[in-house]
mmCIF file of all heavy atoms in Angstrom:
data_model
loop_
_atom_site.group_PDB
_atom_site.id
_atom_site.type_symbol
_atom_site.label_atom_id
_atom_site.label_comp_id
_atom_site.label_asym_id
_atom_site.label_seq_id
_atom_site.Cartn_x
_atom_site.Cartn_y
_atom_site.Cartn_z
ATOM 1 N N THR A 108 4.978 -9.142 -11.216
ATOM 2 C CA THR A 108 3.745 -8.639 -10.594
ATOM 3 C C THR A 108 2.547 -8.799 -11.531
ATOM 4 O O THR A 108 1.468 -9.185 -11.110
ATOM 5 C CB THR A 108 3.894 -7.153 -10.243
ATOM 6 O OG1 THR A 108 5.076 -6.974 -9.496
ATOM 7 C CG2 THR A 108 2.730 -6.654 -9.431
ATOM 8 N N LEU A 109 2.774 -8.481 -12.807
ATOM 9 C CA LEU A 109 1.636 -8.455 -13.730
ATOM 10 C C LEU A 109 1.368 -9.805 -14.390
ATOM 11 O O LEU A 109 0.444 -9.931 -15.177
ATOM 12 C CB LEU A 109 1.860 -7.385 -14.799
ATOM 13 C CG LEU A 109 1.761 -5.942 -14.308
ATOM 14 C CD1 LEU A 109 2.006 -4.979 -15.438
ATOM 15 C CD2 LEU A 109 0.406 -5.657 -13.700
ATOM 16 N N TYR A 110 2.197 -10.807 -14.103
ATOM 17 C CA TYR A 110 1.940 -12.125 -14.682
ATOM 18 C C TYR A 110 0.829 -12.795 -13.892
ATOM 19 O O TYR A 110 0.935 -12.969 -12.682
ATOM 20 C CB TYR A 110 3.214 -12.976 -14.632
ATOM 21 C CG TYR A 110 3.139 -14.198 -15.499
ATOM 22 C CD1 TYR A 110 3.209 -14.086 -16.882
ATOM 23 C CD2 TYR A 110 2.979 -15.455 -14.944
ATOM 24 C CE1 TYR A 110 3.120 -15.197 -17.686
ATOM 25 C CE2 TYR A 110 2.893 -16.576 -15.738
ATOM 26 C CZ TYR A 110 2.969 -16.440 -17.106
ATOM 27 O OH TYR A 110 2.874 -17.544 -17.904
ATOM 28 N N SER A 111 -0.268 -13.146 -14.581
ATOM 29 C CA SER A 111 -1.414 -13.598 -13.790
ATOM 30 C C SER A 111 -2.032 -14.912 -14.242
ATOM 31 O O SER A 111 -2.928 -15.416 -13.588
ATOM 32 C CB SER A 111 -2.491 -12.515 -13.786
ATOM 33 O OG SER A 111 -2.879 -12.243 -15.107
ATOM 34 N N SER A 112 -1.595 -15.487 -15.368
ATOM 35 C CA SER A 112 -2.186 -16.781 -15.705
ATOM 36 C C SER A 112 -1.165 -17.681 -16.384
ATOM 37 O O SER A 112 -0.381 -17.236 -17.230
ATOM 38 C CB SER A 112 -3.422 -16.602 -16.580
ATOM 39 O OG SER A 112 -3.054 -16.201 -17.874
ATOM 40 N N HIS A 113 -1.189 -18.952 -15.974
ATOM 41 C CA HIS A 113 -0.303 -19.946 -16.570
ATOM 42 C C HIS A 113 -1.189 -21.066 -17.110
ATOM 43 O O HIS A 113 -1.955 -21.670 -16.364
ATOM 44 C CB HIS A 113 0.653 -20.482 -15.495
ATOM 45 C CG HIS A 113 1.405 -21.686 -15.918
ATOM 46 N ND1 HIS A 113 2.315 -21.648 -16.952
ATOM 47 C CD2 HIS A 113 1.383 -22.963 -15.466
ATOM 48 C CE1 HIS A 113 2.819 -22.860 -17.103
ATOM 49 N NE2 HIS A 113 2.272 -23.677 -16.221
ATOM 50 N N ASN A 114 -1.108 -21.327 -18.414
ATOM 51 C CA ASN A 114 -1.986 -22.298 -19.084
ATOM 52 C C ASN A 114 -3.462 -22.040 -18.766
ATOM 53 O O ASN A 114 -4.208 -22.945 -18.387
ATOM 54 C CB ASN A 114 -1.622 -23.733 -18.678
ATOM 55 C CG ASN A 114 -0.305 -24.149 -19.280
ATOM 56 O OD1 ASN A 114 0.206 -23.490 -20.183
ATOM 57 N ND2 ASN A 114 0.258 -25.229 -18.769
ATOM 58 N N ASP A 115 -3.857 -20.775 -18.869
ATOM 59 C CA ASP A 115 -5.248 -20.356 -18.629
ATOM 60 C C ASP A 115 -5.723 -20.578 -17.195
ATOM 61 O O ASP A 115 -6.924 -20.563 -16.932
ATOM 62 C CB ASP A 115 -6.210 -21.059 -19.605
ATOM 63 C CG ASP A 115 -5.970 -20.599 -21.017
ATOM 64 O OD1 ASP A 115 -5.525 -19.442 -21.171
ATOM 65 O OD2 ASP A 115 -6.193 -21.377 -21.948
ATOM 66 N N LYS A 116 -4.787 -20.820 -16.296
ATOM 67 C CA LYS A 116 -5.181 -20.920 -14.891
ATOM 68 C C LYS A 116 -4.522 -19.773 -14.128
ATOM 69 O O LYS A 116 -3.391 -19.409 -14.433
ATOM 70 C CB LYS A 116 -4.715 -22.256 -14.307
ATOM 71 C CG LYS A 116 -5.647 -23.384 -14.643
ATOM 72 C CD LYS A 116 -5.084 -24.699 -14.192
ATOM 73 C CE LYS A 116 -5.873 -25.838 -14.811
ATOM 74 N NZ LYS A 116 -5.112 -27.076 -14.838
ATOM 75 N N PRO A 117 -5.249 -19.218 -13.147
ATOM 76 C CA PRO A 117 -4.672 -18.066 -12.435
ATOM 77 C C PRO A 117 -3.428 -18.451 -11.634
ATOM 78 O O PRO A 117 -3.379 -19.530 -11.035
ATOM 79 C CB PRO A 117 -5.805 -17.628 -11.503
ATOM 80 C CG PRO A 117 -6.695 -18.800 -11.386
ATOM 81 C CD PRO A 117 -6.585 -19.541 -12.666
ATOM 82 N N CYS A 118 -2.436 -17.600 -11.656
ATOM 83 C CA CYS A 118 -1.254 -17.821 -10.837
ATOM 84 C C CYS A 118 -0.706 -16.467 -10.376
ATOM 85 O O CYS A 118 -1.167 -15.423 -10.844
ATOM 86 C CB CYS A 118 -0.188 -18.605 -11.584
ATOM 87 S SG CYS A 118 0.624 -17.663 -12.857
ATOM 88 N N HIS A 119 0.244 -16.494 -9.496
ATOM 89 C CA HIS A 119 0.670 -15.249 -8.859
ATOM 90 C C HIS A 119 2.080 -15.438 -8.324
ATOM 91 O O HIS A 119 2.356 -16.414 -7.635
ATOM 92 C CB HIS A 119 -0.349 -14.953 -7.728
ATOM 93 C CG HIS A 119 0.040 -13.857 -6.796
ATOM 94 N ND1 HIS A 119 -0.563 -13.682 -5.582
ATOM 95 C CD2 HIS A 119 0.971 -12.893 -6.893
ATOM 96 C CE1 HIS A 119 -0.018 -12.647 -4.970
ATOM 97 N NE2 HIS A 119 0.923 -12.156 -5.744
ATOM 98 N N PHE A 120 2.985 -14.538 -8.706
ATOM 99 C CA PHE A 120 4.341 -14.589 -8.159
ATOM 100 C C PHE A 120 4.383 -13.783 -6.870
ATOM 101 O O PHE A 120 4.089 -12.591 -6.881
ATOM 102 C CB PHE A 120 5.345 -13.992 -9.150
ATOM 103 C CG PHE A 120 5.778 -14.942 -10.220
ATOM 104 C CD1 PHE A 120 5.294 -14.831 -11.508
ATOM 105 C CD2 PHE A 120 6.673 -15.949 -9.933
ATOM 106 C CE1 PHE A 120 5.701 -15.703 -12.496
ATOM 107 C CE2 PHE A 120 7.088 -16.832 -10.915
ATOM 108 C CZ PHE A 120 6.600 -16.706 -12.191
ATOM 109 N N LYS A 121 4.735 -14.438 -5.777
ATOM 110 C CA LYS A 121 4.882 -13.699 -4.523
ATOM 111 C C LYS A 121 6.344 -13.343 -4.353
ATOM 112 O O LYS A 121 7.190 -14.229 -4.270
ATOM 113 C CB LYS A 121 4.461 -14.570 -3.343
ATOM 114 C CG LYS A 121 2.981 -14.668 -3.151
ATOM 115 C CD LYS A 121 2.705 -15.554 -1.955
ATOM 116 C CE LYS A 121 1.226 -15.769 -1.786
ATOM 117 N NZ LYS A 121 0.966 -16.865 -0.855
ATOM 118 N N VAL A 122 6.637 -12.054 -4.288
ATOM 119 C CA VAL A 122 8.012 -11.624 -4.055
ATOM 120 C C VAL A 122 8.152 -11.371 -2.559
ATOM 121 O O VAL A 122 7.554 -10.449 -2.021
ATOM 122 C CB VAL A 122 8.329 -10.341 -4.846
ATOM 123 C CG1 VAL A 122 9.745 -9.895 -4.601
ATOM 124 C CG2 VAL A 122 8.099 -10.566 -6.320
ATOM 125 N N SER A 123 8.903 -12.213 -1.873
ATOM 126 C CA SER A 123 8.944 -12.045 -0.421
ATOM 127 C C SER A 123 10.126 -11.215 0.046
ATOM 128 O O SER A 123 10.034 -10.507 1.029
ATOM 129 C CB SER A 123 8.903 -13.385 0.297
ATOM 130 O OG SER A 123 9.796 -14.279 -0.289
ATOM 131 N N LYS A 124 11.255 -11.296 -0.636
ATOM 132 C CA LYS A 124 12.409 -10.497 -0.221
ATOM 133 C C LYS A 124 13.210 -10.053 -1.436
ATOM 134 O O LYS A 124 13.372 -10.808 -2.389
ATOM 135 C CB LYS A 124 13.325 -11.322 0.683
ATOM 136 C CG LYS A 124 12.850 -11.469 2.092
ATOM 137 C CD LYS A 124 13.647 -12.518 2.815
ATOM 138 C CE LYS A 124 12.930 -12.962 4.061
ATOM 139 N NZ LYS A 124 13.588 -14.116 4.666
ATOM 140 N N VAL A 125 13.730 -8.841 -1.353
ATOM 141 C CA VAL A 125 14.629 -8.341 -2.391
ATOM 142 C C VAL A 125 15.805 -7.671 -1.706
ATOM 143 O O VAL A 125 15.607 -6.880 -0.781
ATOM 144 C CB VAL A 125 13.924 -7.314 -3.304
ATOM 145 C CG1 VAL A 125 14.872 -6.786 -4.345
ATOM 146 C CG2 VAL A 125 12.720 -7.912 -3.969
ATOM 147 N N SER A 126 17.015 -8.008 -2.133
ATOM 148 C CA SER A 126 18.184 -7.413 -1.489
ATOM 149 C C SER A 126 19.390 -7.466 -2.419
ATOM 150 O O SER A 126 19.503 -8.369 -3.242
ATOM 151 C CB SER A 126 18.492 -8.185 -0.211
ATOM 152 O OG SER A 126 19.733 -7.787 0.292
ATOM 153 N N PRO A 127 20.308 -6.503 -2.279
ATOM 154 C CA PRO A 127 21.545 -6.608 -3.058
ATOM 155 C C PRO A 127 22.533 -7.613 -2.470
ATOM 156 O O PRO A 127 23.542 -7.909 -3.089
ATOM 157 C CB PRO A 127 22.116 -5.195 -3.044
ATOM 158 C CG PRO A 127 21.455 -4.507 -1.929
ATOM 159 C CD PRO A 127 20.183 -5.205 -1.623
ATOM 160 N N HIS A 128 22.262 -8.101 -1.241
ATOM 161 C CA HIS A 128 23.155 -9.094 -0.637
ATOM 162 C C HIS A 128 22.450 -10.432 -0.549
ATOM 163 O O HIS A 128 21.348 -10.513 -0.014
ATOM 164 C CB HIS A 128 23.547 -8.666 0.778
ATOM 165 C CG HIS A 128 24.133 -7.303 0.839
ATOM 166 N ND1 HIS A 128 25.408 -7.033 0.440
ATOM 167 C CD2 HIS A 128 23.592 -6.129 1.225
ATOM 168 C CE1 HIS A 128 25.635 -5.740 0.591
ATOM 169 N NE2 HIS A 128 24.548 -5.170 1.063
ATOM 170 N N LEU A 129 23.080 -11.451 -1.035
ATOM 171 C CA LEU A 129 22.465 -12.776 -0.989
ATOM 172 C C LEU A 129 22.244 -13.286 0.438
ATOM 173 O O LEU A 129 21.176 -13.815 0.740
ATOM 174 C CB LEU A 129 23.313 -13.770 -1.793
ATOM 175 C CG LEU A 129 22.755 -15.173 -1.958
ATOM 176 C CD1 LEU A 129 21.383 -15.145 -2.582
ATOM 177 C CD2 LEU A 129 23.688 -16.015 -2.808
ATOM 178 N N PRO A 130 23.208 -13.108 1.366
ATOM 179 C CA PRO A 130 22.986 -13.648 2.716
ATOM 180 C C PRO A 130 21.793 -13.029 3.429
ATOM 181 O O PRO A 130 21.182 -13.661 4.285
ATOM 182 C CB PRO A 130 24.280 -13.301 3.473
ATOM 183 C CG PRO A 130 25.276 -13.022 2.440
ATOM 184 C CD PRO A 130 24.560 -12.529 1.254
ATOM 185 N N SER A 131 21.447 -11.773 3.094
ATOM 186 C CA SER A 131 20.344 -11.144 3.826
ATOM 187 C C SER A 131 18.992 -11.745 3.461
ATOM 188 O O SER A 131 17.997 -11.435 4.105
ATOM 189 C CB SER A 131 20.345 -9.640 3.619
ATOM 190 O OG SER A 131 20.520 -9.338 2.280
ATOM 191 N N LEU A 132 18.935 -12.600 2.460
ATOM 192 C CA LEU A 132 17.663 -13.265 2.174
ATOM 193 C C LEU A 132 17.346 -14.335 3.216
ATOM 194 O O LEU A 132 16.225 -14.788 3.339
ATOM 195 C CB LEU A 132 17.697 -13.918 0.793
ATOM 196 C CG LEU A 132 17.766 -13.004 -0.411
ATOM 197 C CD1 LEU A 132 17.576 -13.804 -1.678
ATOM 198 C CD2 LEU A 132 16.717 -11.925 -0.359
ATOM 199 N N SER A 133 18.368 -14.743 3.969
ATOM 200 C CA SER A 133 18.146 -15.834 4.916
ATOM 201 C C SER A 133 17.526 -15.352 6.227
ATOM 202 O O SER A 133 17.064 -16.144 7.021
ATOM 203 C CB SER A 133 19.452 -16.557 5.208
ATOM 204 O OG SER A 133 20.328 -15.666 5.841
#
Side-chain angles (χ1 to χ4, degrees):
Chain A
T108 308
L109 289 180
Y110 194 73
S111 59
S112 72
H113 168 65
N114 289 346
D115 293 331
K116 278 174 193 158
C118 72
H119 169 196
F120 278 105
K121 281 180 184 166
V122 180
S123 46
K124 282 168 197 172
V125 179
S126 170
H128 306 284
L129 185 56
S131 46
L132 293 189
S133 64

